[in-house]
Amino acid sequence: MTTAFPPSCAGWPASRAGAVLSIDLAALAANYRLLAEQAGGAVCAAVVKADAYGLGVAQVAPVLERAGARQFFVAHVDEGLELRAHVSAGAGITVLHGPRPDGVQACLAAGLRPVLNSLEQIGWVRQAARAAGRAVGVVLQLDTGMSRFGLSEADVAELASTPALLEGLRVELIMSHLACADTPADPANAMQAACLRRMAAMLPPAPLSLAASSGIFLGPAYHFDLVRPGAALYGVAPNREGPNPLRAVVSLRAHVMQTRTLSPGDRVGYGLTWQADTPRRVATIAAGYADGQAREGATRQCAWFRGQCLPVLGRISMDSMTVDITDVPEGQLEADGMVELLNQNYGVDALAEARGTIGYEILTSLGRRYHRVYTGGEAAMERSHAGEGARV
C-alpha cells in the first residue's frame, strides 16, 4: 500500500508566502535506510521531537515508519500524543523527558513509554502503576558523564539495593547519551560507553542504547541494542571529519520584494551598519529572523542565484534581508524573482558554520510562514521496507 502525498501541505499558500521550503521525503527515507544499515544488528529508531526537527511530524513520521522505523522518540508527552495519530498502533513511542507528575496518566493512557531520568520520576510512575494494578514498561536513563539527564551512579546504587523502588515497572531499555559523539577521537566517548555498561550491570537486565545520530558513526562498540538517530535523518552531517554521507532533505527559496541601485555612501539596514563604496545593486528578500534567518552572523551569510553567491548586507530584519545582486546580469533577477537560501551545495551545515552554530538549530528554527512543499513521497513509499521490525 502506498500513501498519496499532496504536492504541498502545511504553511501559507504559494501565491501569498514570501518563501518556499521544500522537504524531500525520498531523501529522508534514504537517510533512514543508510543509518539502519550503519547500525548493523541494532534496532534503528527515529527521533521526531520538535515537530520532526521543524519539518512536520505529520508528513515525516509515516515515511519513516514505512522505511522501517518501529520505534519513535519525542521529548515531551504532548509530542507523543500528536505523533500517535500519524503512526500505526503497533509503533512504539518513547518520551525522552518523561512525564511531569500531572502528565503521568495522559502519558500511560496513550501507550507512550516514559524515560525515567530521576528517582522522583520513578516514584511518580511507580505510583501510577500501583493504582492501575499492572506493570508499566519504562526506559531508565543513566547519567554517564554529561550531567544533563539521567540517574546518577548513587541513584543506580539505591535502585540496586532497594528493588522495591522499581516495583510495577518493567524496564524495557536502559539508555544514556553521548556528549562528544561528533568528535570521534574524544576519549569521553569510550568512557561513557564503559560507564553505561558498568551502571547497567547493577540494574535488571535490559537492552541498552547509547548512540544518537553521530554516535552511530563511531562504530559497533557504540551501537548496543538500539540507536536513536535524529538530526542525521534530516541530512545534518554526523561530524566534520569527512564528506557527509547523508542526503540533503531541505531546500529554501525566498522571493525578491524589491530591488534598487545604491550610490557610493548609501547605507543599508538597521543601524546603517553597511555602506556602499561603489555603485551597487541590491535586493530585499522576504525572509528574516522571524523565519529562522538569524540576525547574528548575517554578514557571513549569503543567498544564491544560479550558482552565484549573493552576500547579505547589513542587519537581517524580522521579516526581510538585503543581498548584493551587483554581479547578477540586469534583467535576470527582478521583483518577485526567487533566490535560494538553502540548496544542495549550501545546506544546513554550511549555513550553520556561517552563523557559528549547528545544523540542528538551523532546522528547528525554520519559520512557520513558509509555503511548504513535500516532494518524493511516492518514491519514499515505493522503496520502503515492508513488514514488522524488531521492537526494543
Side-chain angles (χ1 to χ4, degrees):
M1 182 182 73
T2 61
T3 299
F5 283 83
S8 63
C9 33
W12 289 355
S15 59
R16 301 196 295 270
V20 176
L21 178 67
S22 297
I23 297 100
D24 185 342
L25 296 173
L28 174 79
N31 287 344
Y32 176 84
R33 290 191 293 268
L34 184 149
L35 292 162
E37 181 179 359
Q38 189 77 23
V43 171
C44 188
V47 181
V48 293
K49 61 184 179 178
D51 196 28
Y53 285 60
L55 302 188
V57 73
Q59 292 79 27
V60 163
V63 170
L64 291 172
E65 186 170 14
R66 291 298 299 267
R70 300 292 178 263
Q71 295 292 327
F72 294 86
F73 284 73
V74 295
H76 297 281
V77 169
D78 276 75
E79 290 180 332
L81 298 178
E82 180 183 1
L83 174 61
R84 178 55 74 197
H86 303 300
V87 294
S88 69
I93 301 175
T94 300
V95 181
L96 289 164
H97 284 185
R100 295 175 50 220
D102 293 340
V104 173
Q105 292 299 333
C107 178
L108 300 184
L112 310 181
R113 183 172 66 173
V115 174
L116 305 182
N117 298 286
S118 66
L119 295 178
E120 291 86 354
Q121 283 189 328
I122 288 174
W124 302 334
V125 177
R126 184 179 66 245
Q127 183 178 5
R130 183 184 303 121
R134 63 179 179 85
V136 171
V138 301
V139 177
L140 297 182
Q141 177 153 215
L142 311 183
D143 176 14
T144 57
M146 195 173 180
S147 302
R148 187 181 65 165
F149 285 111
L151 299 157
S152 68
E153 196 144 5
D155 293 334
V156 171
E158 185 171 349
L159 293 176
S161 64
T162 314
L165 293 176
L166 293 174
E167 184 178 351
L169 306 182
R170 184 176 63 253
V171 179
E172 297 180 346
L173 184 71
I174 297 172
M175 64 172 282
S176 190
H177 193 71
L178 291 164
C180 304
D182 58 348
T183 309
D186 196 307
N189 295 319
M191 291 172 58
Q192 285 193 261
C195 187
L196 173 62
R197 292 188 187 93
R198 184 182 71 252
M199 292 172 68
M202 302 166 65
L203 295 167
L208 302 181
S209 177
L210 180 62
S213 289
S214 297
I216 293 172
F217 292 88
L218 295 179
Y222 295 87
H223 295 162
F224 292 97
D225 301 292
L226 178 144
V227 298
R228 316 179 309 271
L233 294 169
Y234 313 105
V236 173
N239 56 60
R240 297 182 180 181
E241 298 206 346
N244 186 355
L246 302 158
R247 287 174 55 179
V249 173
V250 298
S251 58
L252 178 63
R253 297 178 299 146
H255 284 279
V256 173
M257 305 303 292
Q258 185 175 359
T259 64
R260 69 177 71 243
T261 299
L262 304 183
S263 299
D266 287 346
R267 300 190 178 203
V268 171
Y270 282 115
L272 303 178
T273 58
W274 186 88
Q275 182 174 7
D277 55 3
T278 60
R280 312 299 292 174
R281 292 173 51 245
V282 301
T284 300
I285 62 176
Y289 58 75
D291 307 295
Q293 304 302 312
R295 193 170 183 264
E296 181 68 25
T299 56
R300 298 189 298 274
Q301 300 175 46
C302 63
W304 296 82
F305 181 73
R306 298 180 182 175
Q308 186 171 338
C309 176
L310 311 177
V312 174
L313 305 179
R315 292 178 180 167
I316 291 178
S317 301
M318 181 181 289
D319 312 299
S320 64
M321 66 175 76
T322 302
V323 299
D324 190 338
I325 62 170
T326 305
D327 294 334
V328 176
E330 291 199 42
Q332 289 191 10
L333 184 59
E334 303 295 340
D336 210 41
M338 298 190 82
V339 299
E340 298 173 329
L341 298 177
L342 292 169
N343 57 35
Q344 292 293 316
N345 298 315
Y346 189 79
V348 292
D349 292 304
L351 181 56
E353 185 173 358
R355 292 186 189 171
T357 184
I358 57 175
Y360 297 62
E361 184 177 4
I362 301 299
L363 281 174
T364 55
S365 298
L366 293 171
R368 305 180 75 82
R369 302 193 294 185
Y370 300 132
H371 173 69
R372 293 187 169 214
V373 176
Y374 291 87
T375 64
E378 292 294 345
M381 294 305 183
E382 289 169 3
R383 297 181 59 190
S384 64
H385 297 292
E388 290 297 325
R391 294 180 59 83
V392 173

